[in-house]
Amino acid sequence: MDAATRRRRMVEEQLVRRGIHSEPVLGAMGRVPRELFVPEQQEAAAYQDSPLPIAEGQTISQPYIVAFMLQAAELAPGERALEIGTGSGYAAAVMAEVAGQVFTMERQARLALSARQALEKAGSRNVEIRVGDGTLGWPERAPFNVIVATAGGREIPRSWKEQLAVGGRLVMPVGETPRRQILIKVTRLSDTEYREERLSEVRFVPLIGEQGWSEPEARRGWSRPTADPDDELTALLRDAVDPLPAVDSPDFGAFFDRFANHRVVLLGEASHGSKEFYQARAAITRRLIEKHGFNLVAVEADWPDADVVDRYVRHRPSARQPDPPFQRFPTWMWRNREMQTFTRWLREHNASLPERDRVRFHGLDIYNLNDSISAVLAYLEDIDPEAARLARARYECLTPWQDDPALYGREVLSDRYKACEDQVVAQLRDLLGKRLEYSRDDGERFFDAEQNARLIATGERYYRAMYHGGAESWNLRDGQMFETLQRLLEQRGPDAKIVVWAHNSHIGDALATDMGGARGQINLGQLCREAHGDQAALIGFGTDHGTVAAASRWNGPMQRMAVRPARDDSYESLAHRTGIERFLLDLRAGHHETLRHRLRPERLERFIGVIYKPETERQSHYAKASLSAQFDAYVWFDATEAVTPLTGDSGEPPADTYPFGR
């Protein structure tokens, strides 16, 4: 295979497939002969996706990281660029294909000489090399539109920031030790203002000089990157994933066609307040509905609240509902712009379908006892007033606790109050006993009343179990969510296909996490796998950093909180190190078996719910899991933003927020 073909394959397989999209960078990488910049004995490996050794104990970076850094720097034709760490000269040659002038600095004269010779062979005439302390920059040639460093320091040298033009971009590795760094991008906004972004975990040689590491520090803290097993695992991961387009791209949902033949598709989230998770689940769900016949959507929300949305999206008459749904903490979890956009689409989609074929929207959760009781009583008052009178008497046992049922469990546990179990179970039994009579005229209304009665009975047990500790309350909740899902499938019939939205902690197989081990917990994903086998797809989501809508305590106000970058020993860190902004990883059997095996040992995974405590993140939000056993696929967003809440008091007309607002 000739060199031109090898370069073309490198661009297609190592760069484009992993998310490099800058046309100037791709074009430059396809033109520069990399074999000229490696030792003669390494020429056969010149286009491999790995760093290669050169003189003076240094390396030439892998092609992907060169392209990734230059894409991040947004190098444009005609600009002036400064490179720190000439090394082999390869990156300077690539930069020279785009920039008007490239200035590159190298502290070792022997490397500078060999780089100059290679650049001449490659025909790079617009490159100037200087031997010296790169941490001081090149003030005589400043200002620069772009500064790129191929060595890592403890902080960004002040001289580089001073020599960066306003509007210029600086990309360099930064770390507290010379051993491992984070790739940082700095944009100069004005004479005094700079914006800093975290890009990816990397590993470069140390930046030695007056404003970098001293040589003794570098010798103590750095060794050549040949022994880190995560480097190989990151490369395997990078090769296996499918980079995803933007969520609003028409092509995004098509990547999930591989799950079209499943009956149950569970879509997770790593937090309850990240915009991209809602947008992605909406795009995937739309695709599964429009192209593959999915006709049920079930979410980690309370049944009576979701019923208001179901009536809206299916154009059903509104029930007697004094308040908008989703008033219980955390209100932003479902009352947000991203959710509103999806439900409006679903309403429009359903408008074109016969009533019997419309996609249904339901909740799986058990918390809203108050509205469930109201729904059962309203149904019985219409169909059987005498039965309604008896039900009201039975449910009076729970009346003192309807607004705050958690207090009920505390009172029962203290023996100051008799449990209501007998009354709510008797009411459910009576309702089921009249199923044929009640469902004759309107089977769907009966199904709703039956479901609410079941939720009241389970909820009563749940709030009692909360105060006993252990796994019982969790298992009651997830067991009820699974039973609700099963009833939805049964009611819809043999053609039923359902998409579920819930947190990763519910949809990932509990047997592959701490939950199913020492804690003895089951969850929705585990139960779906046991019941549906290969017909269930468990799809987890993850992120490294950004912002999230969360509270610092239960019933506390929503805050837009910064999400800390993931721990180095986590799955999120592995995903972040790929440098790919968005991707889908297929973890089903028969796909990427080597990687699936390597991802099976337990590693930390982050779980952010409605509460986020970054100050105790390790204890509060990380648990051990086996990613390839936990999920059938994994969706990654390197950076995420907080959802946009619908506050309900924004002064907007009712039509703008219906059904979420008054």
Side-chain angles (χ1 to χ4, degrees), residues 10-30:
M10 174 192 74
V11 168
E12 293 172 353
E13 297 175 8
Q14 300 177 31
L15 307 183
V16 174
R17 186 165 177 254
R18 297 180 189 172
I20 302 300
H21 53 76
S22 167
E23 291 299 333
V25 172
L26 292 172
M29 297 287 287

Side-chain angles (χ1 to χ4, degrees), residues 121-141:
K121 290 180 182 178
S124 303
R125 308 300 179 196
N126 55 339
V127 180
E128 188 174 343
I129 301 178
R130 180 178 186 175
V131 177
D133 183 352
T135 69
L136 303 179
W138 200 331
E140 299 87 351
R141 296 288 190 263

